[in-house]
């Protein structure tokens, strides 16, 4: 695409919105985790399935200039401490992130989506 | 699609990257042959190990301190990455898990991006009391 148009800001309606993404992520996680109990045997598949599903739903939002990174952490609740944190170096005007936490049975799940704008 | 797995029963990490290069063109990003332009896993390992050894070292896990540690970890890794002066937007995530109870953890990530320019790294660090999983994403813009 040599004749590609460069823009500095996302067009109206084409900007990543954290609230929309969070709603999607909660839906996906709740749907995929329903009835699950933590097992080291299934957790890798489960994580892959959830992150793939979220990624697909984010793509379906039709935000043409965005790249997405979806990270899903699934852990077992056994009274242990865990702490997750992230930091980004990016353009705060157009790039964004959304994160949700979800607890069910003995599983805790944290899903984070990062959206990076390409100019 | 590539996959990376930390060989341990405690924690695993699966990463999938979908190629976007057909849709998003490489817009003038220095090509990957330039030694200075490409970050390597080795570099990330070095930075992450240095920061983690320095911040946590051999200390035992305390919940009240873990938040401050984690913040220091991401901040210092980010600082080091920016110092390398590579033309990327960086995302650094770090999870700190107490390992005393033998609970499992899985971190998986999927990206929708340009495989040719964008990079993802994972680093796993542990001492006797805790486990840290650091993920670094470098995205060309």
């Amino acid at each position: 695409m040599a004749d590609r148009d460069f823009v500095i800001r996302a067009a109206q309606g084409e900007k990543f919105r954290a609230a929309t993404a969070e709603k999607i992520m909660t839906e996906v996680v709740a749907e995929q985790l329903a009835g699950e109990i933590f097992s080291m045997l299934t957790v890798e598949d489960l994580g892959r399935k959830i992150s793939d599903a979220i990624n697909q739903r984010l793509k379906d939002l039709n935000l043409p200039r965005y790249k997405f990174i979806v990270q899903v952490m699934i852990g077992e609740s056994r009274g242990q401490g865990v702490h997750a944190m992230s930091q980004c170096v990016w353009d705060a005007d157009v790039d964004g992130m959304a994160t949700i936490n979800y607890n069910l049975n003995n599983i805790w799940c944290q899903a984070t989506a990062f959206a990076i704008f390409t100019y | 699609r590539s996959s990376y797995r930390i060989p341990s029963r405690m924690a695993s990490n699966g990463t999938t990257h979908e190629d976007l290069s057909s849709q998003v063109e490489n817009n003038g990003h220095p090509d990957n042959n330039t030694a200075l332009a490409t970050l390597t896993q080795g570099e990330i390992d070095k930075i992450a190990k240095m920061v983690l050894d320095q911040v946590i070292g051999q200390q035992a896990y305390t919940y009240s301190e873990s938040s401050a540690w984690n913040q220091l970890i991401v901040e210092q890794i980010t600082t080091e990455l920016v110092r390398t002066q590579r033309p990327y937007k960086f995302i650094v995530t770090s999870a700190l898990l107490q390992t005393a109870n033998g609970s499992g953890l899985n971190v998986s990530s999927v990206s929708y991006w340009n495989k040719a320019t964008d990079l993802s790294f994972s680093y796993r660090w542990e001492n006797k009391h805790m486990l840290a999983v650091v993920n670094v994403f470098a995205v060309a813009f």
Side-chain angles (χ1 to χ4, degrees), chain A residues 6-73:
Chain A
F6 288 96
V7 296
I8 320 182
R9 292 291 165 256
Q12 188 122 36
E14 289 183 357
K15 191 170 186 292
F16 176 80
R17 303 260 172 222
T20 321
E22 276 168 17
K23 207 173 131 223
I24 287 175
M25 286 152 73
T26 314
E27 267 176 44
V28 171
V29 172
E31 184 193 316
Q32 301 274 353
L33 282 186
E36 295 280 351
I37 288 174
F38 191 91
S39 149
M40 215 51 211
L41 299 172
T42 56
V43 68
E44 199 173 341
D45 272 354
L46 200 60
R48 179 68 51 89
K49 244 174 28 192
I50 293 174
S51 33
D52 268 339
I54 293 175
N55 194 20
Q56 188 56 49
R57 291 283 298 272
L58 289 175
K59 280 198 282 185
D60 293 346
L61 284 177
N62 220 355
L63 306 171
R65 285 180 181 269
Y66 279 95
K67 297 174 180 177
F68 296 109
I69 298 171
V70 179
Q71 177 169 299
V72 174
M73 288 178 55

Side-chain angles (χ1 to χ4, degrees), chain B residues 89-101:
Chain B
K89 287 179 181 175
F90 289 109
I91 297 171
V92 179
T93 74
S94 150
L96 213 52
L97 176 83
Q98 184 182 13
T99 50
N101 309 33

Side-chain angles (χ1 to χ4, degrees), chain B residues 3 9-10 13 19-20 24-25 44 51 58-59 62 65 69 72 76 78 89 92 107 109 112-113 115 118 135-137:
Chain B
S3 165
R9 61 188 174 81
M10 289 302 304
N13 176 314
D19 198 7
L20 239 182
V24 177
E25 198 65 20
I44 303 293
V51 170
Q58 293 305 315
Q59 296 181 76
T62 42
E65 275 180 286
W69 284 341
L72 277 174
Q76 291 187 11
T78 316
K89 287 179 181 175
V92 179
V107 184
S109 63
Y112 175 59
W113 66 18
K115 228 196 257 175
D118 306 338
N135 269 333
V136 174
F137 303 97

Side-chain angles (χ1 to χ4, degrees), chain B:
Chain B
R1 285 164 99 88
S2 68
S3 165
Y4 179 76
R5 175 140 197 226
I6 296 173
S8 157
R9 61 188 174 81
M10 289 302 304
S12 61
N13 176 314
T15 307
T16 320
H17 302 299
E18 198 170 329
D19 198 7
L20 239 182
S21 39
S22 55
Q23 291 154 60
V24 177
E25 198 65 20
N26 177 357
N27 47 359
H29 184 74
D31 65 292
N32 287 353
N33 301 326
T34 321
L36 195 76
T38 314
L39 279 168
T40 60
Q41 177 75 44
E43 249 173 300
I44 303 293
D45 288 357
K46 215 171 100 190
I47 291 173
K49 185 173 189 313
M50 184 189 79
V51 170
L52 282 155
D53 282 346
Q54 197 181 327
V55 173
I56 303 178
Q58 293 305 315
Q59 296 181 76
Y61 185 92
T62 42
Y63 185 74
S64 51
E65 275 180 286
S66 68
S67 164
W69 284 341
N70 217 348
Q71 182 157 3
L72 277 174
I73 291 166
V74 289
E75 273 175 14
Q76 291 187 11
I77 292 178
T78 316
T79 312
E80 290 298 324
L81 286 172
V82 172
R83 194 173 288 162
T84 62
Q85 303 207 334
R86 300 306 215 288
Y88 294 106
K89 287 179 181 175
F90 289 109
I91 297 171
V92 179
T93 74
S94 150
L96 213 52
L97 176 83
Q98 184 182 13
T99 50
N101 309 33
S103 63
L105 173 72
N106 181 279
V107 184
S108 60
S109 63
V110 171
S111 329
Y112 175 59
W113 66 18
N114 185 346
K115 228 196 257 175
T117 54
D118 306 338
L119 304 163
S120 128
F121 308 99
S122 185
Y123 181 74
R124 178 178 184 274
W125 180 94
E126 61 188 313
N127 70 8
K128 234 187 279 178
H129 313 280
M130 72 196 99
L131 171 81
V133 180
V134 174
N135 269 333
V136 174
F137 303 97
V139 186
F141 51 90

